[in-house]
Amino acid sequence: MPMKASAFSYARATSVVNALELLAAHGDKAKVLSGGQSLMPAMNLRLISPELIVDIGAIAELRGIAVAGDVITIGALTRHVDLARSPEIAAHAPLLTEAIAHVAHPAIRNRGTLGGSLAHADPASELPACMVALNATIIVSGQSGERRIAAEAFFTGIYATALSAQELLVAIELPVQRKNSVHFFCEFARRHGDYAIVGLAAQAIVESGVFADLRLALFAVGDRPVLAKAAAKLVNTLITPAVLFDACADLGEELDPQDDQQASGSMRRHLAKVLLARCASALLERPDLQARKSV
Ligand SMILES: Cc1cc2nc3c(=O)[nH]c(=O)nc-3n(C[C@H](O)[C@H](O)[C@H](O)COP(=O)(O)OP(=O)(O)OC[C@H]3O[C@@H](n4cnc5c(N)ncnc54)[C@H](O)[C@@H]3O)c2cc1C
């Protein structure tokens, strides 16, 4: 198995405009380089062999976290470690702070970027699911202007997104979490830092012990993050073990997880139901819901 990439040309983009010109000129033959934590391994294994690498790492305007009104804007080049240490993210999108700890290891988090992770779109990746749970907007730029894409529509398949080869993911917008917001993140993985076997990122609003809103984004259960429709069963209703059992059953039917060397599809389906029960129990502070022979 080759461990060195095929020969390629390299260009260091000086601005977003310059990066877009390079991408437009080279089309499918060019690849954007952010942190390189997914791109370089794929090139070294010769899974991909781009002719030109467009390094966007020096474009300062793509970095940083800003809060204005009820929106948090995160530049595409913001690294995992920057998110993990950000007081703004901890205060306004704590789901992300918690999830980042499960992304790979410190060496990878020191270089890997949010934009890179979303553009890479690994279905077992934590951050795409968080974006879906948080109802993020992904902002992409092309020569004809900017597009704003809801996270749910951005991920289109395994390693596939709504981005064209001529576009750059430039930023992510998240709503500042509202009053009574709570979140849950949990994944099953062989070892901490491994890609998940099944995971759940959830964001909810709880009022008087009832979910007023609940977004459940599951990952590693299909070709992209799944926003579970089963959540609707749990909103605006008093949750009993029977209600939760029904929602778990719906979730099981809704998912069609793959078999692979990590787990069978039926095991993934079972684990997803276990995560849903844990999530409801934790967010509502109802340990009784965890006594769920029913799941
Ligand atoms: C050993 C190992 C373990 C890992 N474990 C995990 C894990 O548990 N969970 C997890 O989520 N990830 C994991 N990763 C991946 C890691 O999080 C990467 O950092 C991330 O997936 C990609 O970010 P990057 O900035 O390095 O992107 P790059 O590797 O530079 O790029 C990735 C892809 O996105 C494209 N791209 C990058 N930026 C842009 C942009 N702004 N606009 C358009 N296209 C762009 C590139 O062309 C490339 O196709 C792991 C990686 C390794 C090597």
Side-chain angles (χ1 to χ4, degrees):
M1 192 180 285
M3 291 307 289
K4 285 287 164 230
S6 309
F8 59 89
S9 302
Y10 171 91
R12 195 163 173 80
T14 51
S15 64
V16 169
V17 171
N18 179 222
L20 293 177
E21 282 165 359
L22 288 162
L23 293 175
H26 293 86
D28 288 352
K29 300 192 171 84
K31 270 281 178 192
V32 174
L33 173 68
S34 285
Q37 298 306 294
S38 297
L39 182 64
M40 297 320 293
M43 286 173 65
N44 287 341
L45 292 167
R46 301 204 183 180
L47 297 172
I48 52 168
S49 299
E51 288 175 12
L52 174 71
I53 289 298
V54 178
D55 183 353
I56 61 169
I59 307 178
E61 64 194 277
L62 292 179
R63 262 179 221 289
I65 299 164
V67 183
D70 53 6
V71 177
I72 314 168
T73 305
I74 307 173
L77 273 183
T78 306
R79 299 171 307 157
H80 303 328
V81 65
D82 302 322
L83 292 170
R85 291 181 184 161
S86 161
E88 290 90 354
I89 297 293
H92 301 301
L95 170 68
L96 214 42
T97 311
E98 197 173 329
I100 289 281
H102 298 265
V103 176
H105 310 287
I108 290 157
R109 296 199 291 266
N110 285 341
R111 298 199 77 99
T113 66
L114 178 58
S117 178
L118 305 185
H120 187 56
D122 188 318
S125 205
E126 291 82 1
L127 302 181
C130 289
M131 295 301 122
V132 170
L134 292 170
N135 205 6
T137 302
I138 316 281
I139 303 175
V140 309
S141 242
Q143 290 228 301
S144 52
E146 212 169 75
R147 293 197 294 145
R148 300 168 59 82
I149 307 168
E152 230 190 304
F154 182 76
F155 303 101
T156 55
I158 300 183
Y159 305 120
T161 69
L163 270 172
S164 80
Q166 283 78 37
E167 286 177 318
L168 205 58
L169 195 167
V170 290
I172 295 92
E173 283 182 2
L174 301 176
V176 163
Q177 72 168 6
R178 289 188 279 153
K179 195 167 162 248
N180 299 330
S181 280
V182 286
H183 69 276
F184 174 88
F185 183 91
C186 188
E187 70 178 34
F188 293 109
R190 300 243 171 245
R191 298 167 303 185
H192 185 89
D194 281 3
Y195 278 102
I197 297 170
V198 177
L200 171 60
Q203 183 75 23
I205 296 185
V206 175
E207 283 163 1
S208 310
V210 168
F211 286 119
D213 186 36
L214 176 63
R215 290 178 69 89
L216 301 168
L218 289 120
F219 53 103
V221 291
D223 67 354
R224 67 194 85 174
V226 175
L227 185 66
K229 295 186 185 67
K233 276 251 158 89
L234 301 176
V235 174
N236 292 329
T237 188
L238 186 66
I239 297 185
T240 60
V243 169
L244 184 56
F245 175 78
D246 266 3
C248 287
D250 282 8
L251 180 67
E253 278 175 27
E254 183 180 340
L255 300 178
D256 185 17
Q258 69 284 9
D259 292 322
D260 63 20
Q261 71 281 11
Q262 291 230 71
S264 65
S266 61
M267 168 138 162
R268 284 197 158 89
R269 191 176 282 115
H270 169 72
L271 292 177
K273 293 182 194 177
V274 171
L275 285 178
L276 175 50
R278 283 189 192 177
C279 172
S281 166
L283 293 182
L284 297 172
E285 300 178 3
R286 294 264 310 273
D288 59 301
L289 294 174
Q290 273 275 60
R292 44 162 181 75
K293 276 190 221 80
S294 43
V295 173

